[in-house]
Amino acid sequence: MKWGIYLNDMLGKTALITGASRGIGRAIAIGLAKCGADIAVNYTKNEEKAKEVQMEVEETGRKCYLVKADIGDKNCADKVAEIVPAVDILVLNASIQYRNRWDKITLQEYDNQMNCNFRSALLLIQKYAPKMAENGWGRIVTVGSVQEAKPHPDMLIYSSSKAALTHMAKFMSLQLADTGVTVNSVAPGVISTDRNADALTNKEYKNMVLNKIPVHFCGEPIDCVGIVKLLCSEEGRYITGQNIFVDGGMSVE
């Protein structure tokens, strides 16, 4: 076996990253491209941001496909597969997050979060995993959240959907264990993305958050990339069924 992590480790592989026009998904897309993978950037609306990611990927010398598809749609897997029929690496990153008290949650909020955060992952795994297994090689990474361990009081459905996603990753790791396909989950903590920007501008709230993080600072999207690179590389072949927190110690009891 040829070792040498990250440096062209993924040449000849195609990676699909959902929700890749911004934040953690964007960082993962560019990070995997630097490892040699061709990238399929899924996005829903912001084509300008998606094209910026495409440009950065292509600057690494890799191919980049733009995949406009609403991951919350029940036909999302079919729509995505029309553009990218097969992939070697599947990173299930897209999610929707609403803040609302448990007794104020609407059915629409429930449906939107569960369909995007969990159902889409199931549909995409059903679409792509069989071909990975047939080829004898594949990498599936779900992107969960520290809220699986430390749920936010106003994000019941979001934290539940992420816990369900991680449970599915563990389940699927056993179903695919003898096929050369690994399935793992990465659970980010508080990451400085546009999703969290407004809340973290409140100094009192930010200080409260930082007091819950042992390292006392918020992560950046790039902090989530290293572990995803490992899990998607050949050097990660013996890691499957794991949920790895990238949270500055926030999940530690």
Side-chain angles (χ1 to χ4, degrees):
M1 176 179 297
K2 183 179 180 180
W3 300 100
I5 192 168
Y6 308 157
L7 183 59
N8 292 330
D9 186 64
M10 300 171 198
L11 277 175
K13 308 296 186 187
T14 298
L16 166 65
I17 300 94
T18 64
S21 65
R22 61 178 187 163
I24 294 172
R26 176 191 182 117
I28 291 172
I30 296 168
L32 296 186
K34 290 179 178 178
C35 294
D38 294 328
I39 305 296
V41 173
N42 163 250
Y43 69 103
T44 302
K45 296 178 180 178
N46 200 329
E47 185 169 349
E48 181 179 351
K49 290 294 184 182
K51 285 184 175 180
E52 288 178 5
V53 181
Q54 182 181 40
M55 181 176 66
E56 290 195 56
V57 168
E58 291 177 344
E59 285 176 354
T60 70
R62 308 317 309 160
K63 297 177 183 176
C64 186
Y65 312 94
L66 295 185
V67 184
K68 184 177 182 179
D70 184 350
I71 293 300
D73 189 275
K74 65 181 180 180
N75 298 318
C76 67
D78 291 333
K79 292 179 179 178
V80 172
E82 287 178 3
I83 302 171
V84 188
V87 301
D88 306 287
I89 298 167
L90 176 61
V91 181
L92 299 161
N93 166 74
S95 69
I96 292 175
Q97 179 189 90
Y98 298 131
R99 294 172 182 246
N100 207 354
R101 279 173 49 93
W102 63 269
D103 55 348
K104 302 296 184 182
I105 296 168
T106 67
L107 185 58
Q108 190 64 60
E109 289 173 345
Y110 173 89
D111 286 343
N112 288 350
Q113 290 176 101
M114 290 302 295
N115 291 344
C116 177
N117 304 359
F118 179 75
R119 186 181 69 180
S120 66
L122 170 63
L123 296 176
L124 288 166
I125 289 173
Q126 289 177 328
K127 177 65 68 174
Y128 289 115
K131 186 64 174 179
M132 291 181 185
E134 181 181 328
N135 291 339
W137 197 96
R139 300 289 185 264
I140 300 172
V141 178
T142 66
V143 179
S145 170
V146 69
Q147 291 197 40
E148 299 165 40
K150 300 289 179 69
H152 190 288
D154 292 334
M155 297 186 197
L156 168 62
I157 305 305
Y158 178 80
S159 58
S160 297
S161 70
K162 291 298 189 176
L165 188 63
T166 293
H167 183 78
M168 180 167 66
K170 291 181 178 181
F171 177 92
M172 288 305 305
S173 71
L174 298 179
Q175 310 308 307
L176 297 169
D178 63 350
T179 68
V181 179
T182 66
V183 189
N184 292 285
S185 179
V186 172
V190 182
I191 305 297
S192 296
T193 63
D194 55 356
R195 170 178 286 177
N196 297 322
D198 287 343
L200 293 176
T201 56
N202 183 312
K203 291 185 178 180
E204 183 178 349
Y205 177 77
K206 183 174 182 178
N207 286 334
M208 181 183 70
V209 169
L210 292 177
N211 285 333
K212 297 179 181 179
I213 305 172
V215 299
H216 296 299
F217 65 88
C218 298
E220 300 291 337
I222 191 66
D223 293 314
C224 300
V225 176
I227 187 61
V228 176
K229 286 180 178 179
L230 172 61
L231 295 175
C232 293
S233 72
E234 189 60 27
E235 290 188 349
R237 66 180 188 147
Y238 206 52
I239 306 171
T240 196
Q242 302 305 304
N243 184 28
I244 302 170
F245 286 92
V246 184
D247 64 355
M250 190 175 179
S251 60
V252 178
E253 296 293 340

